[in-house]
Every structure is written in C-alpha cells, then in structure tokens.
PDB file of all heavy atoms in Angstrom:
ATOM      1  N   LEU A  15       0.816  -1.188   0.009  1.00 83.00           N
ATOM      2  CA  LEU A  15      -0.005   0.028   0.008  1.00 83.00           C
ATOM      3  C   LEU A  15       0.852   1.267   0.048  1.00 83.00           C
ATOM      4  O   LEU A  15       0.536   2.216  -0.623  1.00 83.00           O
ATOM      5  CB  LEU A  15      -0.931  -0.038   1.219  1.00 83.00           C
ATOM      6  CG  LEU A  15      -1.944   1.152   1.313  1.00 83.00           C
ATOM      7  CD1 LEU A  15      -2.903   1.089   0.203  1.00 83.00           C
ATOM      8  CD2 LEU A  15      -2.650   1.009   2.668  1.00 83.00           C
ATOM      9  N   PHE A  16       1.958   1.217   0.672  1.00 88.00           N
ATOM     10  CA  PHE A  16       2.770   2.375   0.871  1.00 88.00           C
ATOM     11  C   PHE A  16       4.084   2.424  -0.051  1.00 88.00           C
ATOM     12  O   PHE A  16       4.804   3.405   0.038  1.00 88.00           O
ATOM     13  CB  PHE A  16       3.230   2.559   2.316  1.00 88.00           C
ATOM     14  CG  PHE A  16       2.102   2.810   3.303  1.00 88.00           C
ATOM     15  CD1 PHE A  16       1.605   1.798   4.066  1.00 88.00           C
ATOM     16  CD2 PHE A  16       1.528   4.095   3.349  1.00 88.00           C
ATOM     17  CE1 PHE A  16       0.554   2.050   4.948  1.00 88.00           C
ATOM     18  CE2 PHE A  16       0.473   4.310   4.200  1.00 88.00           C
ATOM     19  CZ  PHE A  16      -0.003   3.342   4.959  1.00 88.00           C
ATOM     20  N   GLY A  17       4.304   1.341  -0.777  1.00 91.00           N
ATOM     21  CA  GLY A  17       5.587   1.276  -1.462  1.00 91.00           C
ATOM     22  C   GLY A  17       5.491   1.098  -2.984  1.00 91.00           C
ATOM     23  O   GLY A  17       6.512   1.290  -3.651  1.00 91.00           O
ATOM     24  N   VAL A  18       4.408   0.710  -3.603  1.00 92.00           N
ATOM     25  CA  VAL A  18       4.402   0.354  -4.999  1.00 92.00           C
ATOM     26  C   VAL A  18       4.397   1.685  -5.813  1.00 92.00           C
ATOM     27  O   VAL A  18       4.129   2.796  -5.333  1.00 92.00           O
ATOM     28  CB  VAL A  18       3.214  -0.469  -5.466  1.00 92.00           C
ATOM     29  CG1 VAL A  18       3.214  -1.799  -4.654  1.00 92.00           C
ATOM     30  CG2 VAL A  18       1.877   0.272  -5.164  1.00 92.00           C
ATOM     31  N   MET A  19       4.700   1.552  -7.123  1.00 92.00           N
ATOM     32  CA  MET A  19       4.648   2.676  -8.060  1.00 92.00           C
ATOM     33  C   MET A  19       3.256   3.159  -8.164  1.00 92.00           C
ATOM     34  O   MET A  19       2.273   2.402  -8.452  1.00 92.00           O
ATOM     35  CB  MET A  19       5.191   2.277  -9.407  1.00 92.00           C
ATOM     36  CG  MET A  19       6.704   2.451  -9.648  1.00 92.00           C
ATOM     37  SD  MET A  19       7.154   4.238  -9.571  1.00 92.00           S
ATOM     38  CE  MET A  19       6.150   4.829 -10.936  1.00 92.00           C
ATOM     39  N   ASN A  20       3.038   4.490  -7.946  1.00 91.00           N
ATOM     40  CA  ASN A  20       1.733   5.042  -8.071  1.00 91.00           C
ATOM     41  C   ASN A  20       1.879   6.528  -8.481  1.00 91.00           C
ATOM     42  O   ASN A  20       2.301   7.368  -7.699  1.00 91.00           O
ATOM     43  CB  ASN A  20       0.935   4.961  -6.697  1.00 91.00           C
ATOM     44  CG  ASN A  20      -0.442   5.524  -6.812  1.00 91.00           C
ATOM     45  OD1 ASN A  20      -0.679   6.634  -7.157  1.00 91.00           O
ATOM     46  ND2 ASN A  20      -1.400   4.669  -6.458  1.00 91.00           N
ATOM     47  N   GLY A  21       1.683   6.801  -9.745  1.00 91.00           N
ATOM     48  CA  GLY A  21       1.942   8.139 -10.321  1.00 91.00           C
ATOM     49  C   GLY A  21       1.341   9.284  -9.591  1.00 91.00           C
ATOM     50  O   GLY A  21       1.981  10.222  -9.235  1.00 91.00           O
ATOM     51  N   PRO A  22       0.000   9.197  -9.399  1.00 91.00           N
ATOM     52  CA  PRO A  22      -0.659  10.342  -8.678  1.00 91.00           C
ATOM     53  C   PRO A  22      -0.091  10.577  -7.243  1.00 91.00           C
ATOM     54  O   PRO A  22       0.041  11.767  -6.907  1.00 91.00           O
ATOM     55  CB  PRO A  22      -2.118   9.911  -8.651  1.00 91.00           C
ATOM     56  CG  PRO A  22      -2.316   8.965  -9.752  1.00 91.00           C
ATOM     57  CD  PRO A  22      -1.021   8.243  -9.843  1.00 91.00           C
ATOM     58  N   LEU A  23       0.202   9.541  -6.530  1.00 92.00           N
ATOM     59  CA  LEU A  23       0.779   9.702  -5.205  1.00 92.00           C
ATOM     60  C   LEU A  23       2.180  10.331  -5.199  1.00 92.00           C
ATOM     61  O   LEU A  23       2.575  10.992  -4.319  1.00 92.00           O
ATOM     62  CB  LEU A  23       0.720   8.380  -4.409  1.00 92.00           C
ATOM     63  CG  LEU A  23      -0.714   7.897  -4.046  1.00 92.00           C
ATOM     64  CD1 LEU A  23      -0.545   6.576  -3.304  1.00 92.00           C
ATOM     65  CD2 LEU A  23      -1.376   8.958  -3.181  1.00 92.00           C
ATOM     66  N   ILE A  24       2.932   9.962  -6.181  1.00 94.00           N
ATOM     67  CA  ILE A  24       4.260  10.469  -6.377  1.00 94.00           C
ATOM     68  C   ILE A  24       4.220  11.989  -6.740  1.00 94.00           C
ATOM     69  O   ILE A  24       4.950  12.832  -6.105  1.00 94.00           O
ATOM     70  CB  ILE A  24       5.096   9.733  -7.398  1.00 94.00           C
ATOM     71  CG1 ILE A  24       5.379   8.280  -6.943  1.00 94.00           C
ATOM     72  CG2 ILE A  24       6.441  10.427  -7.670  1.00 94.00           C
ATOM     73  CD1 ILE A  24       5.996   7.354  -7.962  1.00 94.00           C
ATOM     74  N   THR A  25       3.443  12.304  -7.701  1.00 92.00           N
ATOM     75  CA  THR A  25       3.449  13.678  -8.254  1.00 92.00           C
ATOM     76  C   THR A  25       2.628  14.652  -7.498  1.00 92.00           C
ATOM     77  O   THR A  25       2.964  15.789  -7.450  1.00 92.00           O
ATOM     78  CB  THR A  25       3.021  13.625  -9.752  1.00 92.00           C
ATOM     79  OG1 THR A  25       1.728  13.067  -9.838  1.00 92.00           O
ATOM     80  CG2 THR A  25       4.017  12.820 -10.586  1.00 92.00           C
ATOM     81  N   LEU A  26       1.461  14.176  -6.968  1.00 90.00           N
ATOM     82  CA  LEU A  26       0.539  15.062  -6.332  1.00 90.00           C
ATOM     83  C   LEU A  26       0.594  15.021  -4.797  1.00 90.00           C
ATOM     84  O   LEU A  26       0.386  16.024  -4.150  1.00 90.00           O
ATOM     85  CB  LEU A  26      -0.913  14.775  -6.807  1.00 90.00           C
ATOM     86  CG  LEU A  26      -1.101  14.741  -8.332  1.00 90.00           C
ATOM     87  CD1 LEU A  26      -2.574  14.402  -8.687  1.00 90.00           C
ATOM     88  CD2 LEU A  26      -0.821  16.162  -8.846  1.00 90.00           C
ATOM     89  N   ALA A  27       0.919  13.845  -4.279  1.00 91.00           N
ATOM     90  CA  ALA A  27       1.029  13.702  -2.830  1.00 91.00           C
ATOM     91  C   ALA A  27       2.487  13.730  -2.371  1.00 91.00           C
ATOM     92  O   ALA A  27       2.798  13.585  -1.151  1.00 91.00           O
ATOM     93  CB  ALA A  27       0.339  12.444  -2.328  1.00 91.00           C
ATOM     94  N   HIS A  28       3.387  13.897  -3.291  1.00 92.00           N
ATOM     95  CA  HIS A  28       4.856  14.033  -2.960  1.00 92.00           C
ATOM     96  C   HIS A  28       5.486  12.834  -2.287  1.00 92.00           C
ATOM     97  O   HIS A  28       6.299  12.972  -1.412  1.00 92.00           O
ATOM     98  CB  HIS A  28       5.093  15.323  -2.195  1.00 92.00           C
ATOM     99  CG  HIS A  28       4.487  16.530  -2.770  1.00 92.00           C
ATOM    100  ND1 HIS A  28       4.832  17.087  -4.037  1.00 92.00           N
ATOM    101  CD2 HIS A  28       3.477  17.340  -2.334  1.00 92.00           C
ATOM    102  CE1 HIS A  28       4.127  18.065  -4.302  1.00 92.00           C
ATOM    103  NE2 HIS A  28       3.270  18.307  -3.287  1.00 92.00           N
ATOM    104  N   GLN A  29       4.992  11.647  -2.633  1.00 94.00           N
ATOM    105  CA  GLN A  29       5.524  10.422  -2.011  1.00 94.00           C
ATOM    106  C   GLN A  29       6.675   9.883  -2.875  1.00 94.00           C
ATOM    107  O   GLN A  29       6.576   8.818  -3.550  1.00 94.00           O
ATOM    108  CB  GLN A  29       4.442   9.421  -1.808  1.00 94.00           C
ATOM    109  CG  GLN A  29       3.362   9.819  -0.904  1.00 94.00           C
ATOM    110  CD  GLN A  29       2.247   8.771  -0.649  1.00 94.00           C
ATOM    111  OE1 GLN A  29       2.376   7.594  -1.072  1.00 94.00           O
ATOM    112  NE2 GLN A  29       1.209   9.167   0.048  1.00 94.00           N
ATOM    113  N   TYR A  30       7.767  10.629  -2.857  1.00 95.00           N
ATOM    114  CA  TYR A  30       8.864  10.414  -3.838  1.00 95.00           C
ATOM    115  C   TYR A  30       9.584   9.044  -3.558  1.00 95.00           C
ATOM    116  O   TYR A  30      10.244   8.559  -4.449  1.00 95.00           O
ATOM    117  CB  TYR A  30       9.870  11.577  -3.795  1.00 95.00           C
ATOM    118  CG  TYR A  30       9.202  12.930  -3.986  1.00 95.00           C
ATOM    119  CD1 TYR A  30       9.385  13.887  -3.097  1.00 95.00           C
ATOM    120  CD2 TYR A  30       8.485  13.133  -5.167  1.00 95.00           C
ATOM    121  CE1 TYR A  30       8.739  15.179  -3.330  1.00 95.00           C
ATOM    122  CE2 TYR A  30       7.894  14.380  -5.399  1.00 95.00           C
ATOM    123  CZ  TYR A  30       8.008  15.398  -4.437  1.00 95.00           C
ATOM    124  OH  TYR A  30       7.413  16.590  -4.684  1.00 95.00           O
ATOM    125  N   TRP A  31       9.470   8.545  -2.380  1.00 96.00           N
ATOM    126  CA  TRP A  31      10.136   7.270  -2.033  1.00 96.00           C
ATOM    127  C   TRP A  31       9.588   6.145  -2.975  1.00 96.00           C
ATOM    128  O   TRP A  31      10.283   5.094  -3.156  1.00 96.00           O
ATOM    129  CB  TRP A  31       9.933   6.886  -0.596  1.00 96.00           C
ATOM    130  CG  TRP A  31       8.506   6.643  -0.193  1.00 96.00           C
ATOM    131  CD1 TRP A  31       7.800   5.447  -0.337  1.00 96.00           C
ATOM    132  CD2 TRP A  31       7.569   7.580   0.379  1.00 96.00           C
ATOM    133  NE1 TRP A  31       6.539   5.615   0.096  1.00 96.00           N
ATOM    134  CE2 TRP A  31       6.367   6.858   0.570  1.00 96.00           C
ATOM    135  CE3 TRP A  31       7.733   8.902   0.830  1.00 96.00           C
ATOM    136  CZ2 TRP A  31       5.257   7.476   1.103  1.00 96.00           C
ATOM    137  CZ3 TRP A  31       6.632   9.531   1.390  1.00 96.00           C
ATOM    138  CH2 TRP A  31       5.381   8.790   1.556  1.00 96.00           C
ATOM    139  N   ARG A  32       8.472   6.337  -3.536  1.00 95.00           N
ATOM    140  CA  ARG A  32       7.871   5.314  -4.396  1.00 95.00           C
ATOM    141  C   ARG A  32       8.667   5.118  -5.670  1.00 95.00           C
ATOM    142  O   ARG A  32       8.381   4.187  -6.524  1.00 95.00           O
ATOM    143  CB  ARG A  32       6.416   5.625  -4.741  1.00 95.00           C
ATOM    144  CG  ARG A  32       5.436   5.483  -3.579  1.00 95.00           C
ATOM    145  CD  ARG A  32       4.053   5.877  -3.907  1.00 95.00           C
ATOM    146  NE  ARG A  32       3.165   5.792  -2.810  1.00 95.00           N
ATOM    147  CZ  ARG A  32       2.385   4.703  -2.440  1.00 95.00           C
ATOM    148  NH1 ARG A  32       2.510   3.616  -3.159  1.00 95.00           N
ATOM    149  NH2 ARG A  32       1.609   4.762  -1.412  1.00 95.00           N
ATOM    150  N   LEU A  33       9.587   5.956  -6.027  1.00 96.00           N
ATOM    151  CA  LEU A  33      10.510   5.742  -7.186  1.00 96.00           C
ATOM    152  C   LEU A  33      11.613   4.752  -6.843  1.00 96.00           C
ATOM    153  O   LEU A  33      12.268   4.228  -7.708  1.00 96.00           O
ATOM    154  CB  LEU A  33      11.106   7.079  -7.574  1.00 96.00           C
ATOM    155  CG  LEU A  33      10.153   8.099  -8.200  1.00 96.00           C
ATOM    156  CD1 LEU A  33      10.862   9.413  -8.408  1.00 96.00           C
ATOM    157  CD2 LEU A  33       9.539   7.589  -9.527  1.00 96.00           C
ATOM    158  N   PHE A  34      11.772   4.519  -5.554  1.00 96.00           N
ATOM    159  CA  PHE A  34      12.838   3.557  -5.019  1.00 96.00           C
ATOM    160  C   PHE A  34      12.262   2.297  -4.495  1.00 96.00           C
ATOM    161  O   PHE A  34      12.773   1.199  -4.800  1.00 96.00           O
ATOM    162  CB  PHE A  34      13.641   4.293  -4.016  1.00 96.00           C
ATOM    163  CG  PHE A  34      14.714   3.439  -3.296  1.00 96.00           C
ATOM    164  CD1 PHE A  34      15.923   3.152  -3.978  1.00 96.00           C
ATOM    165  CD2 PHE A  34      14.485   2.884  -2.089  1.00 96.00           C
ATOM    166  CE1 PHE A  34      16.869   2.377  -3.407  1.00 96.00           C
ATOM    167  CE2 PHE A  34      15.441   2.102  -1.465  1.00 96.00           C
ATOM    168  CZ  PHE A  34      16.635   1.835  -2.144  1.00 96.00           C
ATOM    169  N   THR A  35      11.261   2.375  -3.588  1.00 96.00           N
ATOM    170  CA  THR A  35      10.781   1.181  -2.891  1.00 96.00           C
ATOM    171  C   THR A  35      10.221   0.052  -3.798  1.00 96.00           C
ATOM    172  O   THR A  35      10.320  -1.108  -3.401  1.00 96.00           O
ATOM    173  CB  THR A  35       9.713   1.572  -1.845  1.00 96.00           C
ATOM    174  OG1 THR A  35       8.661   2.374  -2.487  1.00 96.00           O
ATOM    175  CG2 THR A  35      10.327   2.397  -0.732  1.00 96.00           C
ATOM    176  N   PRO A  36       9.684   0.353  -4.936  1.00 95.00           N
ATOM    177  CA  PRO A  36       9.156  -0.788  -5.795  1.00 95.00           C
ATOM    178  C   PRO A  36      10.179  -1.800  -6.174  1.00 95.00           C
ATOM    179  O   PRO A  36       9.843  -2.916  -6.503  1.00 95.00           O
ATOM    180  CB  PRO A  36       8.561  -0.050  -6.974  1.00 95.00           C
ATOM    181  CG  PRO A  36       8.183   1.307  -6.566  1.00 95.00           C
ATOM    182  CD  PRO A  36       9.322   1.670  -5.566  1.00 95.00           C
ATOM    183  N   ILE A  37      11.447  -1.426  -6.152  1.00 96.00           N
ATOM    184  CA  ILE A  37      12.512  -2.353  -6.522  1.00 96.00           C
ATOM    185  C   ILE A  37      12.539  -3.576  -5.659  1.00 96.00           C
ATOM    186  O   ILE A  37      12.916  -4.679  -6.080  1.00 96.00           O
ATOM    187  CB  ILE A  37      13.889  -1.633  -6.410  1.00 96.00           C
ATOM    188  CG1 ILE A  37      13.956  -0.449  -7.414  1.00 96.00           C
ATOM    189  CG2 ILE A  37      15.038  -2.631  -6.711  1.00 96.00           C
ATOM    190  CD1 ILE A  37      15.209   0.446  -7.186  1.00 96.00           C
ATOM    191  N   PHE A  38      12.047  -3.461  -4.396  1.00 96.00           N
ATOM    192  CA  PHE A  38      12.103  -4.548  -3.415  1.00 96.00           C
ATOM    193  C   PHE A  38      10.742  -5.180  -3.157  1.00 96.00           C
ATOM    194  O   PHE A  38      10.647  -6.063  -2.304  1.00 96.00           O
ATOM    195  CB  PHE A  38      12.702  -4.020  -2.125  1.00 96.00           C
ATOM    196  CG  PHE A  38      14.096  -3.562  -2.303  1.00 96.00           C
ATOM    197  CD1 PHE A  38      14.388  -2.143  -2.416  1.00 96.00           C
ATOM    198  CD2 PHE A  38      15.216  -4.366  -2.405  1.00 96.00           C
ATOM    199  CE1 PHE A  38      15.663  -1.673  -2.540  1.00 96.00           C
ATOM    200  CE2 PHE A  38      16.495  -3.892  -2.550  1.00 96.00           C
ATOM    201  CZ  PHE A  38      16.685  -2.545  -2.677  1.00 96.00           C
ATOM    202  N   ILE A  39       9.711  -4.714  -3.837  1.00 94.00           N
ATOM    203  CA  ILE A  39       8.361  -5.242  -3.563  1.00 94.00           C
ATOM    204  C   ILE A  39       7.890  -6.148  -4.739  1.00 94.00           C
ATOM    205  O   ILE A  39       8.136  -5.834  -5.916  1.00 94.00           O
ATOM    206  CB  ILE A  39       7.337  -4.086  -3.395  1.00 94.00           C
ATOM    207  CG1 ILE A  39       7.747  -3.263  -2.138  1.00 94.00           C
ATOM    208  CG2 ILE A  39       5.909  -4.588  -3.275  1.00 94.00           C
ATOM    209  CD1 ILE A  39       6.899  -1.976  -1.966  1.00 94.00           C
ATOM    210  N   HIS A  40       7.252  -7.285  -4.383  1.00 93.00           N
ATOM    211  CA  HIS A  40       6.834  -8.238  -5.436  1.00 93.00           C
ATOM    212  C   HIS A  40       5.385  -8.628  -5.181  1.00 93.00           C
ATOM    213  O   HIS A  40       4.942  -8.740  -4.064  1.00 93.00           O
ATOM    214  CB  HIS A  40       7.743  -9.439  -5.485  1.00 93.00           C
ATOM    215  CG  HIS A  40       9.126  -9.161  -5.955  1.00 93.00           C
ATOM    216  ND1 HIS A  40      10.101  -8.646  -5.121  1.00 93.00           N
ATOM    217  CD2 HIS A  40       9.686  -9.221  -7.197  1.00 93.00           C
ATOM    218  CE1 HIS A  40      11.202  -8.480  -5.817  1.00 93.00           C
ATOM    219  NE2 HIS A  40      10.958  -8.750  -7.048  1.00 93.00           N
ATOM    220  N   PHE A  41       4.701  -8.841  -6.342  1.00 89.00           N
ATOM    221  CA  PHE A  41       3.309  -9.252  -6.287  1.00 89.00           C
ATOM    222  C   PHE A  41       3.219 -10.792  -6.402  1.00 89.00           C
ATOM    223  O   PHE A  41       3.161 -11.339  -7.482  1.00 89.00           O
ATOM    224  CB  PHE A  41       2.531  -8.618  -7.426  1.00 89.00           C
ATOM    225  CG  PHE A  41       2.439  -7.126  -7.393  1.00 89.00           C
ATOM    226  CD1 PHE A  41       2.735  -6.395  -8.522  1.00 89.00           C
ATOM    227  CD2 PHE A  41       2.209  -6.479  -6.207  1.00 89.00           C
ATOM    228  CE1 PHE A  41       2.663  -5.042  -8.499  1.00 89.00           C
ATOM    229  CE2 PHE A  41       2.140  -5.084  -6.173  1.00 89.00           C
ATOM    230  CZ  PHE A  41       2.376  -4.378  -7.331  1.00 89.00           C
ATOM    231  N   GLY A  42       3.278 -11.487  -5.345  1.00 87.00           N
ATOM    232  CA  GLY A  42       3.124 -12.941  -5.339  1.00 87.00           C
ATOM    233  C   GLY A  42       4.438 -13.678  -5.325  1.00 87.00           C
ATOM    234  O   GLY A  42       5.493 -13.116  -5.640  1.00 87.00           O
ATOM    235  N   LEU A  43       4.373 -14.995  -4.971  1.00 91.00           N
ATOM    236  CA  LEU A  43       5.618 -15.806  -4.781  1.00 91.00           C
ATOM    237  C   LEU A  43       6.270 -16.073  -6.062  1.00 91.00           C
ATOM    238  O   LEU A  43       7.486 -16.028  -6.177  1.00 91.00           O
ATOM    239  CB  LEU A  43       5.176 -17.143  -4.073  1.00 91.00           C
ATOM    240  CG  LEU A  43       6.331 -18.067  -3.753  1.00 91.00           C
ATOM    241  CD1 LEU A  43       7.278 -17.382  -2.762  1.00 91.00           C
ATOM    242  CD2 LEU A  43       5.789 -19.382  -3.125  1.00 91.00           C
TER     243      LEU A  43
END
C-alpha cells in the first residue's frame, strides 16, 4: 500500500520514495 509505483501519489502527494521502494516489492511468490 505504501511502497508500489503510483503516479498520482508520487507527483501530487509528493511520495517520492515510491520511485525507489518498488525495486524490493513483489506481487506474489
């Protein structure tokens, strides 16, 4: 919820860490 790529949250909510954190998050085994 707090780490995947999300364009609106990065650009409008200023959650810039989302440009980095998705590298370590995976959807499923």
